[in-house]
């Protein structure tokens, strides 16, 4: 009887396994996310991918990846680079493809279905990551490898994984690992919650104006867009949406002070209204959990734990840089504030300068000091002309690459344009997606990311996307952008260049996969191309008259380059300091309610300047609560210091010439994270990073 039952059970299990395998095979064959794309360079098959494909792809991908990891961990053979490190590096292909596409979509083109999936899988993916990086068996296999016997990228990749396992807690006790897993799961869920709440807050924070007169100062195109936005929301009147920063672009031109105040306050308080978009309770939980996580790892604070694999390495080094720049920046900002107040008084305004007045009146000060009016120069910056005759032209001049529109490749939104990229010899090297215009279902800001990462080992070429939030042309009007927006385009394309010129064996070391406080440096260097004389005259073309920008205006733009730098640097440093303050707490009792904590932190470091609000207020500081920049917002300043060092070197050697750019490509753009980056930087210019170039170029010295 027992034998019969046993046999029946075996048959039953066998049938189940066959059914599961058949189901898996069916999913693999029919789900576009689980198939290696046959489009050029594995570009995503957006016309075949449906929202309903993601969950089955995730489940299949998780299952396969688990099996691969178990096989590595339980391998009885002696650990080698091939059967351990390379095996980890090349595992999880299906899951990586599916999640790569998914998170690009949730950032640029989300919807309620994708948001729900994102929330559901946040803790699942966190637990999966812990299964790998808290696995003592794999950690011990990596530790057993003889680093001296490895060379080049093999050695670098091994060192990378060893550090990542240790940062994750692979050497913790079993009981502490369980605690770590719970913390990571909760943090992943809270991060997604924060992101989704912020989207709600941003949408709800849009400001409705009843009368067109309230928008006096805005262009006809901007007013038409505001009317359309109100109509889309089912409202009558005019609606201005919010960007994720504190200050909002329309404030520069709005002549109605009450309207400016209304827009600014809506932006600043968007996530603190005790509604579904209020993020404060979420971020406060995250801050406490991050401290618990760091202390579990034997560190005093989250920042101390987090910076171990960064260029700065220690919070004190990051804060020292911020502090050295903060004092002259605030002093400069106070001088700028006095200039603005003097103008207000001269106009008999009868009020004290407030944050919502700064951009409006600073523009007038700039006009008075430099005879430069933003409305004079904006007509020369039509977004597509800036792209094709500016960004692309500079890329050809500096690096020899060209771009050709591809209309045959599917896109995830009709706004998206696709280009194929060619090197100087005419050889195809990459596919590039461009998503210019703002949408309510798109995160604020601008960014670059990869759909496919470069890897010689996997025979992959890069497939890259740049995402922006420019106003979409309405009723035949062009999309005109400010010079700051022009700089943003060159900046984000700098990240693209970093990805295009990647020349690594392994994805993990490829392109922009470098420390946070280094990754902005290559893109900041590319910003300088926007003012290169030959480049500027090629793209700054009046959208109506088709005349090239006159030299007199160019001279004014250059003379005004350090204008308002006290404000710009102070608001940036305030945000960076705020981030470091949240993550440098060593005792949980020192946390306070969000608004109180923020005020106290800014006061402590001399950055609580009423007229100069922090670039990101804690409740909508997406970079640090849901964007991977926790303890890392200082990176923009660290990278900018690297940038100014290299920019001075370039200027001392003839400027942004092809020769200098090829050298920059050799030492910086093409090496990814495959070499010692401090050494690469020093090899490029001959010395370590110095602070003086920052103070000089920013006009703070």
């Amino acid at each position: 009887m027992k034998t019969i039952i046993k046999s029946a059970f075996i048959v039953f299990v066998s049938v189940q396994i066959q059914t599961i395998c058949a189901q898996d095979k069916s999913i693999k064959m029919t789900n576009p996310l689980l198939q290696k794309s046959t489009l050029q360079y594995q570009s995503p098959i957006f016309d075949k991918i449906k929202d309903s494909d993601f969950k089955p792809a995730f489940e299949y991908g998780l299952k396969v990846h688990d099996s691969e990891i178990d096989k590595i961990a339980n391998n009885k053979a002696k650990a080698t680079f091939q059967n351990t490190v390379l095996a980890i590096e090349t595992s999880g292909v299906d899951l990586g493809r599916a999640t790569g596409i998914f998170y690009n979509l949730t950032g640029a083109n989300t919807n309620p279905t994708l948001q729900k999936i994102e929330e559901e899988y946040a803790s699942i993916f966190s637990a999966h990551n812990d299964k790998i990086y808290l696995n003592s068996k794999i950690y011990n296999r990596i530790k057993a490898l003889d680093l001296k016997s490895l060379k080049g990228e093999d050695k670098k990749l091994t060192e990378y994984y060893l550090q990542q396992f240790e940062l994750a807690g692979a050497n913790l006790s079993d009981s502490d690992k369980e605690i770590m897993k719970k913390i990571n799961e909760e943090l992943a869920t809270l991060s997604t919650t924060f992101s989704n709440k912020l989207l709600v807050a941003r949408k709800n924070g849009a400001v409705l104006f009843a009368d067109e007169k309230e928008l006096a100062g805005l262009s006809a195109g901007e007013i038409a867009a505001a009317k359309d936005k109100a109509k889309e929301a089912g409202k009558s009147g005019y609606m201005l949406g919010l960007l994720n920063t504190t200050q909002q672009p329309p404030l520069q031109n709005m002549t109605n002070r009450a309207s400016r105040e209304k827009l600014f306050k809506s932006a600043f308080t968007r996530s603190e209204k005790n509604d579904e978009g209020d993020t404060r309770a979420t971020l406060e939980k995250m801050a406490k959990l991050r401290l618990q996580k760091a202390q579990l790892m034997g560190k005093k604070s989250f920042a101390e734990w987090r910076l171990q694999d960064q260029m700065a390495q220690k919070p004190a080094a990051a804060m020292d840089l911020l502090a050295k720049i903060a004092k002259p920046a605030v002093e400069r900002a106070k001088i700028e504030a006095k200039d603005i107040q003097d103008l207000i008084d001269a106009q008999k305004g009868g009020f004290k300068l407030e944050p919502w007045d700064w951009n409006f009146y600073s523009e007038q000060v700039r006009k008075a000091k430099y005879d430069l009016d933003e409305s004079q120069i904006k007509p020369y910056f039509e977004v597509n002309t800036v792209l094709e005759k500016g960004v692309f032209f500079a890329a050809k001049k500096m690096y020899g690459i060209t771009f050709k529109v591809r209309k045959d490749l599917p896109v995830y939104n009709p706004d998206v344009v696709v280009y194929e990229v060619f090197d100087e010899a005419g050889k195809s090297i990459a596919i590039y997606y461009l998503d210019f215009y703002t949408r309510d279902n798109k995160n604020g800001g601008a960014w670059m990311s990869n759909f496919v990462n470069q890897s010689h080992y996997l025979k992959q070429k890069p497939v890259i996307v740049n995402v922006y939030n420019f106003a979409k042309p309405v009723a035949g009007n062009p999309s005109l952008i400010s010079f700051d927006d022009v700089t943003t385009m060159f900046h984000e394309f700098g990240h693209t260049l970093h990805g295009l010129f990647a020349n690594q064996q392994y994805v993990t070391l490829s392109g922009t996969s470098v420390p946070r406080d280094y990754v902005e440096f290559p893109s900041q260097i590319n910003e300088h191309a926007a003012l290169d004389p030959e480049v500027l005259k090629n793209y700054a073309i009046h959208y109506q008259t088709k005349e090239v920008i006159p030299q007199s205006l160019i001279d004014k733009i250059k003379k005004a380059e350090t204008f308002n730098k006290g404000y710009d640097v102070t608001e940036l440093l305030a945000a960076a300091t705020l981030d470091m303050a949240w993550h440098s707490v060593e005792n949980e009792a020192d946390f306070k309610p969000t608004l109180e904590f923020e005020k106290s932190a800014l006061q402590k470091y001399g950055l609580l300047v009423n007229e100069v609000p922090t670039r990101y207020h804690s409740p909508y500081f997406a970079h640090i609560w849901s964007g991977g920049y926790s303890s890392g917002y200082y990176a923009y300043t660290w990278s900018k210091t690297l940038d100014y060092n290299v920019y001075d070197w370039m200027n001392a050697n003839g400027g942004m010439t092809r020769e200098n750019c090829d050298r920059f490509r050799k030492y910086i753009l093409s090496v990814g994270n495959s070499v010692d980056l401090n050494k690469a930087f020093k090899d490029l210019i001959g010395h370590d990073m110095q602070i003086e170039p920052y103070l000089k170029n920013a006009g703070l010295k």
Side-chain angles (χ1 to χ4, degrees), residues 565-607:
K565 276 295 183 183
Y567 181 100
D568 293 342
V569 175
T570 299
E571 69 158 3
L572 184 70
L573 293 178
T577 301
L578 197 55
D579 166 36
M580 202 58 75
W582 276 109
H583 295 110
S584 294
V585 171
E586 297 179 4
N587 297 296
E588 196 169 302
D590 291 337
F591 284 118
K592 300 172 185 176
T594 301
L595 305 186
E596 185 183 343
F597 183 91
E598 176 171 310
K599 183 178 180 181
S600 177
L602 294 176
Q603 276 179 330
K604 179 180 178 181
Y605 293 101
L607 287 161

Side-chain angles (χ1 to χ4, degrees), residues 116-398:
K116 189 175 178 182
I117 295 172
E118 188 177 15
E119 288 182 355
E120 180 183 348
Y121 277 86
S123 61
I124 295 172
F125 288 146
S126 173
H128 178 69
N129 196 61
D130 285 341
K131 268 188 201 176
I132 300 169
Y133 288 98
L134 292 177
N135 191 313
S136 297
K137 290 181 179 179
I138 297 180
Y139 172 60
N140 289 331
R141 288 181 68 84
I142 299 173
K143 272 179 70 179
L145 296 175
D146 179 13
L147 286 172
K148 292 178 183 177
S149 68
L150 300 173
K151 295 179 181 178
E153 285 193 42
D154 290 2
K155 183 177 182 180
K156 184 71 175 177
L157 189 66
T158 304
E159 291 172 335
Y160 171 85
Y161 276 118
L162 186 62
Q163 184 178 50
Q164 294 308 305
F165 272 81
E166 288 173 350
L167 283 170
N171 48 4
L172 292 174
S173 67
D174 289 344
S175 59
D176 281 349
K177 282 182 183 178
E178 290 306 312
I179 296 172
M180 181 66 80
K181 288 176 184 177
K182 288 177 182 177
I183 290 174
N184 287 342
E185 283 185 30
E186 192 169 356
L187 280 171
T189 300
L190 289 169
S191 178
T192 302
T193 299
F194 179 91
S195 183
N196 288 338
K197 280 180 174 291
L198 193 54
L199 270 176
V200 172
R202 181 187 176 198
K203 187 175 181 179
N204 291 348
V207 183
L208 187 67
F209 296 93
D211 195 324
E212 183 178 333
K213 292 177 182 177
E214 294 178 274
L215 300 183
L218 298 188
S219 68
E222 289 168 327
I223 291 172
K227 188 172 185 179
D228 284 352
K229 188 170 180 64
K231 189 175 180 181
E232 286 172 14
K235 308 279 186 182
S236 60
Y238 305 83
M239 183 175 280
L240 296 180
L242 301 181
L243 295 187
N244 62 330
T245 49
T246 295
Q247 292 284 14
Q248 302 296 308
L251 293 171
Q252 181 173 291
N253 300 310
M254 294 171 75
T255 58
N256 187 315
R257 189 169 189 246
S259 296
R260 293 200 305 270
E261 181 177 3
K262 185 177 178 182
L263 178 59
F264 177 89
K265 286 185 173 179
S266 186
F268 198 73
T269 62
R270 73 186 80 172
S271 295
E272 51 188 76
K273 296 180 178 178
N274 297 309
D275 59 6
E276 68 274 21
D278 196 313
T279 62
R280 289 174 292 176
T282 303
L283 74 86
E284 287 166 14
K285 284 181 189 174
M286 291 181 75
K288 290 175 183 176
L289 282 168
R290 285 173 176 172
L291 174 59
Q292 291 172 25
K293 176 174 180 170
Q295 292 181 337
L296 193 64
M297 298 290 293
K299 300 299 180 183
K300 292 178 183 177
S301 68
F302 184 81
E304 184 183 5
W305 171 78
R306 193 70 180 86
L307 266 62
Q308 294 174 85
D309 62 346
Q310 300 299 298
M311 305 294 283
Q313 295 192 321
K314 295 182 181 297
M319 281 307 304
D320 181 58
L321 179 69
L322 297 178
K324 284 177 178 174
I325 299 173
K327 188 176 180 182
V330 170
E331 288 172 356
R332 176 71 182 270
K334 287 179 178 177
I335 293 170
E336 293 167 357
K338 184 181 183 304
D339 288 343
I340 294 173
Q341 188 65 58
D342 288 347
L343 177 65
I344 292 170
D345 294 343
Q347 294 179 358
K348 302 189 185 305
F351 58 84
K352 182 180 178 296
L353 171 66
E354 295 289 352
W356 49 88
D357 300 314
W358 189 291
N359 288 356
F360 180 73
Y361 284 98
S362 69
E363 188 58 32
Q364 294 182 46
V365 171
R366 176 163 66 169
K367 187 176 180 182
K369 276 195 169 188
Y370 303 99
D371 192 24
L372 182 63
D373 186 345
E374 185 72 38
S375 64
Q376 280 183 292
I377 60 177
K378 245 185 171 182
Y380 291 95
F381 302 136
E382 190 279 320
V383 70
N384 285 294
T385 306
V386 174
L387 172 74
E388 295 182 359
K389 295 192 174 185
V391 174
F392 288 175
F393 176 80
K396 182 178 181 181
K397 174 181 179 286
M398 294 158 63

Side-chain angles (χ1 to χ4, degrees), residues 381 386 389-399 483 486-491 493-494 497 522-540 558 561 640 643 647 650-651 655-657 661 664:
F381 302 136
V386 174
K389 295 192 174 185
V391 174
F392 288 175
F393 176 80
K396 182 178 181 181
K397 174 181 179 286
M398 294 158 63
Y399 302 105
F483 187 69
V486 170
T487 303
T488 296
M489 282 180 64
F490 277 86
H491 175 98
F493 191 77
L497 290 171
S523 53
Q524 288 164 334
I525 279 291
N526 203 57
E527 290 178 22
H528 300 295
L531 277 175
D532 178 271
E534 185 182 351
V535 175
L536 181 60
K537 286 197 170 186
N538 198 65
Y539 73 82
K558 289 187 174 181
E561 201 174 356
K640 194 65 183 172
D643 157 36
Y647 185 56
M650 281 190 170
N651 283 336
M656 300 187 84
T657 62
C661 289
F664 185 68

Side-chain angles (χ1 to χ4, degrees), residues 337-567:
K338 184 181 183 304
D339 288 343
I340 294 173
Q341 188 65 58
D342 288 347
L343 177 65
I344 292 170
D345 294 343
Q347 294 179 358
K348 302 189 185 305
F351 58 84
K352 182 180 178 296
L353 171 66
E354 295 289 352
W356 49 88
D357 300 314
W358 189 291
N359 288 356
F360 180 73
Y361 284 98
S362 69
E363 188 58 32
Q364 294 182 46
V365 171
R366 176 163 66 169
K367 187 176 180 182
K369 276 195 169 188
Y370 303 99
D371 192 24
L372 182 63
D373 186 345
E374 185 72 38
S375 64
Q376 280 183 292
I377 60 177
K378 245 185 171 182
Y380 291 95
F381 302 136
E382 190 279 320
V383 70
N384 285 294
T385 306
V386 174
L387 172 74
E388 295 182 359
K389 295 192 174 185
V391 174
F392 288 175
F393 176 80
K396 182 178 181 181
K397 174 181 179 286
M398 294 158 63
Y399 302 105
I401 58 174
T402 55
F403 297 77
K404 181 181 177 183
V405 174
R406 288 286 300 272
K407 295 186 177 181
D408 58 319
L409 292 173
V411 294
Y412 58 85
N413 184 284
D415 289 344
V416 179
V417 181
V418 188
Y419 295 84
E420 187 172 359
V421 190
F422 301 87
D423 68 11
E424 194 167 27
K427 182 182 176 183
S428 177
I429 60 172
I431 296 294
Y432 172 62
Y433 290 74
L434 186 73
D435 186 352
F436 260 151
Y437 305 119
T438 189
R439 297 185 288 272
D440 282 340
N441 68 340
K442 181 193 280 190
N443 288 340
W447 64 91
M448 165 270 186
S449 57
N450 281 69
F451 286 120
V452 180
N453 292 283
Q454 178 274 336
S455 165
H456 292 308
Y457 184 81
L458 297 176
K459 295 181 174 57
Q460 291 180 177
K461 292 189 178 183
V463 178
I464 293 171
V465 59
N466 269 150
V467 182
Y468 299 92
N469 268 280
F470 299 133
K472 191 172 183 177
V474 176
N477 293 303
S479 181
L480 302 179
I481 59 177
S482 68
F483 187 69
D484 281 347
D485 289 332
V486 170
T487 303
T488 296
M489 282 180 64
F490 277 86
H491 175 98
E492 294 304 330
F493 191 77
H495 288 304
T496 293
L497 290 171
H498 202 177
L500 288 178
F501 295 144
N503 189 28
Q504 280 65 62
Q505 282 289 104
Y506 308 121
V507 164
T508 294
L509 303 176
S510 179
T512 57
S513 299
V514 296
R516 286 189 314 270
D517 50 7
Y518 194 84
V519 74
E520 299 298 331
F521 154 49
S523 53
Q524 288 164 334
I525 279 291
N526 203 57
E527 290 178 22
H528 300 295
L531 277 175
D532 178 271
E534 185 182 351
V535 175
L536 181 60
K537 286 197 170 186
N538 198 65
Y539 73 82
I541 300 170
H542 197 287
Y543 80 100
Q544 290 175 316
T545 66
K546 305 305 178 187
E547 292 178 356
V548 175
I549 191 168
Q551 187 61 44
S552 58
L553 265 186
I554 295 174
D555 292 341
K556 291 175 185 178
I557 291 172
K558 289 187 174 181
K559 283 179 183 177
E561 201 174 356
T562 58
F563 173 73
N564 214 42
K565 276 295 183 183
Y567 181 100

Side-chain angles (χ1 to χ4, degrees), residues 321-322 324-326 328-329 524 562 565 568-570 572-573 634 636-645 648 689-701:
L321 179 69
L322 297 178
K324 284 177 178 174
I325 299 173
Q524 288 164 334
T562 58
K565 276 295 183 183
D568 293 342
V569 175
T570 299
L572 184 70
L573 293 178
Y634 79 91
Y636 288 95
T637 303
W638 190 282
S639 294
K640 194 65 183 172
T641 310
L642 294 171
D643 157 36
Y644 280 141
N645 275 254
D648 276 4
M689 182 179 81
Q690 300 169 351
I691 195 172
E692 286 75 15
Y694 188 111
L695 299 177
K696 183 194 75 175
N697 282 285
L700 302 179
K701 192 171 181 178

